[in-house]
């Protein structure tokens, strides 16, 4: 497993695939391998293969908290396919298994924005931040949420928190610049 992971980290995906498949040939239910191989297929845009591996991981390890990663990946895939109900169900299942799964809370917040439920989205982003206070992505998303009802000071505070968490986060710098430009425009009007 360590060798497969090493190849994966080095970007040698074909070698990683061979090693992951060798593990599954001897231990077809190996949860960590099913998830890592599914993630590798997802990065390579082999969605059907990734979906099969995540689904297999879930069906073989229903109560294992690590299966939350497979539910999260399926939720991510469903969200990107516009299947909001299926995505929501997958994220909620990931959170049932791991209640402090910050990325799942964050993506659930994004899903609630798409569904038009701003209050639920804010609550989800806050839960993501409770689980991972340095999550630049959750601060960024919460800041964007505050821009909509024109809570500019709250948006600015979240964007600055995002920059403290990740000073290289380009989207935040752009959003902060846009916010300052809007604020200046409002003061001049």
């Amino acid at each position: 497993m360590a060798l497969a992971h090493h190849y994966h980290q080095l970007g040698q995906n074909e070698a990683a695939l061979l090693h992951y498949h060798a593990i599954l040939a001897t231990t077809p239910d190996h949860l960590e391998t099913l998830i890592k191989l599914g993630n590798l297929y997802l990065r390579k845009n082999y969605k059907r293969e990734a979906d099969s591996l995540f689904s297999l991981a879930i069906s073989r390890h229903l109560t294992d908290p690590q299966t939350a990663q497979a539910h999260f990946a399926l939720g991510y895939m469903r969200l990107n396919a516009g299947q909001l109900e299926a995505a929501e169900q997958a994220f909620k299942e990931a959170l049932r298994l791991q209640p402090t799964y910050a990325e799942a809370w964050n993506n659930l917040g994004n899903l609630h924005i798409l569904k038009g439920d701003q209050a639920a989205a804010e609550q989800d982003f806050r839960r993501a931040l409770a689980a991972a206070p340095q999550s630049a992505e959750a601060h960024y998303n919460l800041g964007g949420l505050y821009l909509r009802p024109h809570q500019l000071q709250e948006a600015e505070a979240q964007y600055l928190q995002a920059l403290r968490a990740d000073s290289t986060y380009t989207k935040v710098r752009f959003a902060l610049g846009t916010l300052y430009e809007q604020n200046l425009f409002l003061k001049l009007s």
Side-chain angles (χ1 to χ4, degrees):
M1 180 65 168
L3 188 56
H5 182 69
H6 178 71
Y7 281 127
H8 189 173
Q9 293 293 336
L10 291 173
Q12 296 178 7
N13 293 334
E14 296 309 313
L17 284 172
L18 286 173
H19 286 281
Y20 285 136
H21 280 289
I23 294 166
L24 291 179
T26 60
T27 315
D29 288 347
H30 194 263
L31 180 57
E32 186 178 357
T33 302
L34 290 169
I35 293 170
K36 286 186 183 279
L37 183 57
N39 283 326
L40 181 57
Y41 276 134
L42 186 56
R43 277 192 218 77
K44 291 175 66 76
N45 207 30
Y46 296 159
K47 295 174 186 170
R48 189 174 37 230
E49 293 85 348
D51 192 300
S52 294
L53 288 164
F54 295 136
S55 296
L56 182 61
I58 291 166
S59 69
R60 301 260 172 95
H61 303 276
L62 288 173
T63 59
D64 189 317
Q66 191 179 358
T67 306
Q69 295 172 33
H71 285 287
F72 173 81
L74 285 175
Y76 177 81
M77 291 172 64
R78 304 294 185 263
L79 182 61
N80 286 325
Q83 301 168 353
L84 300 186
E85 296 306 318
E88 185 171 10
Q89 182 180 358
F91 291 139
K92 285 182 175 179
E93 188 60 25
L95 289 164
R96 184 186 67 75
L97 292 165
Q98 287 186 12
T100 59
Y101 197 160
E103 294 87 355
W105 282 117
N106 189 58
N107 278 7
L108 189 58
N110 289 330
L111 184 143
H112 282 129
I113 286 174
L114 292 173
K115 291 176 86 174
D117 190 345
Q118 308 295 331
E122 180 178 6
Q123 186 176 31
D124 296 335
F125 295 142
R126 293 209 173 278
R127 286 181 175 156
L129 290 168
Q134 295 302 313
S135 171
E137 190 72 21
H139 282 293
Y140 172 76
N141 289 334
L142 189 55
L145 185 67
Y146 287 143
L147 279 178
R148 293 175 185 177
H150 300 291
Q151 295 173 290
L152 300 181
Q153 288 179 324
E154 291 88 345
E156 179 185 29
Q158 291 304 316
Y159 287 153
L160 291 172
Q161 286 281 43
L163 281 177
R164 283 185 201 100
D166 180 357
S167 63
T168 65
Y169 200 176
T170 307
K171 286 193 316 188
V172 174
R173 291 185 178 282
F174 179 76
L176 199 52
T178 303
L179 174 76
Y180 289 147
E181 186 177 58
Q182 269 185 340
N183 208 8
L184 180 62
F185 179 75
L186 289 173
K187 287 179 182 177
L188 293 175
S189 312

